[in-house]
Amino acid sequence: MIRRGLGTLLVTVLLCAGCTGDEPSPNGPAPAPKLVAADAVAQSIVDLKSAGAVRYNGSLTAPADDSVTMQVTVTKAGEATGELSVNGLPATVLVVDHTLYLKAGLDFWLKLSGVPDSTAPTVADHWVKAPGVLLGVDIERIFDTETLPGLFGKPLANQTPEAVKRTKVAGQDVLEVPTDAGVLYLGVNPPYGLVRFDLTKSGKTDPTKVRDLAFSVSDATSDMAALYRDLAAKTAELETAYDPFTGVKQGTHKFQNCGLSSCAIVVELTNVGKQAVRVAVKATWTGGGNVIGSCESRVGPLQPSQAGSATCTLSSPQWTQFYRRAQSVPGQHPYGAEWTAMALITPPDPAGLRTLASSAETPVANPQGNQHVYVIRDDAGKDDKQIWKYGVATGADWRKIPDEQLKFCTAGCVVDEVAATGDPASAHALARQLVDAYRGRVGQCPPAQWVGCSPK
């Protein structure tokens, strides 16, 4: 809320088309077996869930009928970065520690439902903590690869991929697989891989109750080092991010220490929220009807129900000129300030994201780690002809993930652990190194490789 104070001086805020579309190498492995459409969808979902990060580019309709477009990259852990627009108005997106932050211009905030007009000028062009219900879209929950496939529905026909209708998506040949929830578009060759999904509706409760989802999908696992660097850099900017939805009660105000060089306004504040907050005060000053400068101040953290005060001091050349005129010209010389007091977030620490960026750049094996790099191969041998795919799985029961894929492989396939690491960035980087080395020898990715198989 904008507050005003007046005074008078008297004179005294994944699909890898380049991999799966290559001609098979005579020295490489035999192609993966042909499957029915439901199996191709199931294999594509396994790969989607196995990705370290996924890019989404498309649109949806939010519960309040807002048209939302998004170009976001989302990690397996739920961090996200990218751009979106709401009814044509753009914003930058960041999700860290399961919290959504937006950075947008004045028009975006003025037209976004739920944001008071008096708040918009303060938060414009700053990072702002935004509850998912405000946007009407919970990015982390909608694009969680563990739950997203549950929205895809079941294929309506059980045809072989050769019998499925073919079309093009962004110039790429794809299989069009109708389901009882929409349409899935898969690559035409094994391992197929999800290229796009068009769904009529999503979750059952706000802010996941969106509809008309139409998104292209591509694997971003190969770019995790750059992705985590970007996430860390944006997270470092959150030091000054606003939290306009945490209540700060404003009390009385007074001017003090007003002299030739400066003048201060002291604003009484109370934290009426449920957690400790820092508070930022920003004031615009006028003198003699003209703007003569602005000031900013921070106070806190204030504990819940704790009262405090913020002192915002103006020390501009325009103030000095105004003061001198008031001292030399008889009469009244009114001055005043309009201010906002708004909570600042408790910023997340970017150190963990920087560590993951380093891990993705220089992966290190850790035999005691819970991230497992595996290979699925024909049990006839361990050379390139027998390798089917590489992957990453987490936890003590990690073998369940590759074991469930054996039904898609040729008869006699087995799973071997290649290495373990202490974090997913290292694990996916090691798997990528294995894929790249294989690709360098054979000329293409392993026949069932979608994750980490970026086009050349």
Side-chain angles (χ1 to χ4, degrees), residues 50-52 219 221-224 359-365 371-376 387-393 416-421 423-441 444-446 449-454:
S50 299
D219 175 51
T221 305
S222 296
D223 300 324
M224 287 182 70
S359 294
E361 290 175 331
T362 312
V364 177
Q371 303 289 325
H372 301 270
V373 181
Y374 63 83
V375 60
I376 300 179
I387 293 175
W388 194 60
K389 73 176 293 186
Y390 294 100
V392 172
D416 292 333
E417 182 180 20
V418 179
T421 76
D423 64 72
S426 278
H428 282 290
L430 286 173
R432 186 191 69 240
Q433 289 178 355
L434 293 168
V435 172
D436 289 346
Y438 178 101
R439 197 174 190 179
R441 296 189 302 269
Q444 63 181 39
C445 292
Q449 196 73 43
W450 186 75
V451 176
C453 185
S454 56

Side-chain angles (χ1 to χ4, degrees), residues 250-268:
Q250 301 179 49
T252 61
H253 74 278
K254 63 181 179 180
F255 294 100
Q256 69 178 24
N257 300 328
C258 294
L260 178 63
S261 61
S262 63
C263 186
I265 184 171
V266 181
V267 181
E268 301 297 326

Side-chain angles (χ1 to χ4, degrees), residues 265-278:
I265 184 171
V266 181
V267 181
E268 301 297 326
L269 307 165
T270 302
N271 176 11
V272 296
K274 297 181 179 181
Q275 58 187 356
V277 296
R278 299 173 299 149

Side-chain angles (χ1 to χ4, degrees), residues 141-346:
R141 289 170 61 189
I142 289 175
F143 295 124
D144 180 349
T145 55
E146 290 298 319
T147 57
L148 175 61
L151 307 176
F152 292 165
K154 297 179 180 180
L156 298 179
N158 204 25
Q159 303 167 302
T160 64
E162 291 84 359
V164 173
K165 177 183 176 181
R166 296 196 177 201
T167 185
K168 287 183 179 292
V169 171
Q172 178 181 340
D173 291 327
V174 295
L175 304 177
E176 182 178 310
V177 183
T179 75
D180 55 9
V183 181
L184 303 179
Y185 298 93
L186 310 180
V188 297
N189 297 318
Y192 307 106
L194 185 64
V195 178
R196 179 185 171 92
F197 59 85
D198 290 2
L199 307 176
T200 55
K201 60 183 178 180
S202 178
K204 297 180 180 180
T205 59
D206 292 341
T208 63
K209 191 171 64 178
V210 298
R211 66 182 190 277
D212 304 325
L213 294 89
F215 283 87
S216 62
V217 178
S218 60
D219 175 51
T221 305
S222 296
D223 300 324
M224 287 182 70
L227 172 59
Y228 279 118
R229 285 195 300 270
D230 181 54
L231 286 166
K234 286 187 171 69
T235 300
E237 297 174 3
L238 297 179
E239 175 67 26
T240 57
Y242 287 113
D243 182 1
F245 305 101
T246 292
V248 176
K249 181 181 178 180
Q250 301 179 49
T252 61
H253 74 278
K254 63 181 179 180
F255 294 100
Q256 69 178 24
N257 300 328
C258 294
L260 178 63
S261 61
S262 63
C263 186
I265 184 171
V266 181
V267 181
E268 301 297 326
L269 307 165
T270 302
N271 176 11
V272 296
K274 297 181 179 181
Q275 58 187 356
V277 296
R278 299 173 299 149
V279 180
V281 172
K282 183 175 182 179
T284 299
W285 294 67
T286 58
N290 300 312
V291 174
I292 57 174
S294 63
C295 63
E296 295 186 27
S297 177
R298 298 181 193 176
V299 64
L302 299 178
Q303 300 300 318
S305 301
Q306 181 182 354
S309 64
T311 301
C312 196
T313 301
L314 175 68
S315 56
S316 67
Q318 293 90 338
W319 166 262
T320 299
Q321 292 171 7
F322 168 77
Y323 188 87
R324 283 174 172 164
R325 178 176 176 80
Q327 293 295 311
S328 60
V329 178
Q332 294 187 337
H333 300 271
Y335 67 95
E338 291 186 352
W339 72 88
T340 58
M342 192 172 297
L344 297 169
I345 71 162
T346 299

Side-chain angles (χ1 to χ4, degrees), residues 61-119:
T61 302
D65 292 329
D66 291 316
S67 176
V68 180
T69 66
M70 290 191 204
Q71 297 181 33
V72 294
T73 303
V74 185
T75 71
K76 183 70 174 179
E79 299 100 352
T81 181
E83 307 291 330
L84 63 75
S85 71
V86 179
N87 299 323
L89 297 172
T92 302
V93 177
L94 178 66
V95 178
V96 289
D97 288 353
H98 312 291
T99 302
L100 171 66
Y101 300 93
L102 298 174
K103 188 176 184 180
L106 179 60
D107 284 349
F108 180 92
W109 296 110
L110 285 173
K111 296 183 180 180
L112 188 64
S113 177
V115 179
D117 287 352
S118 59
T119 297

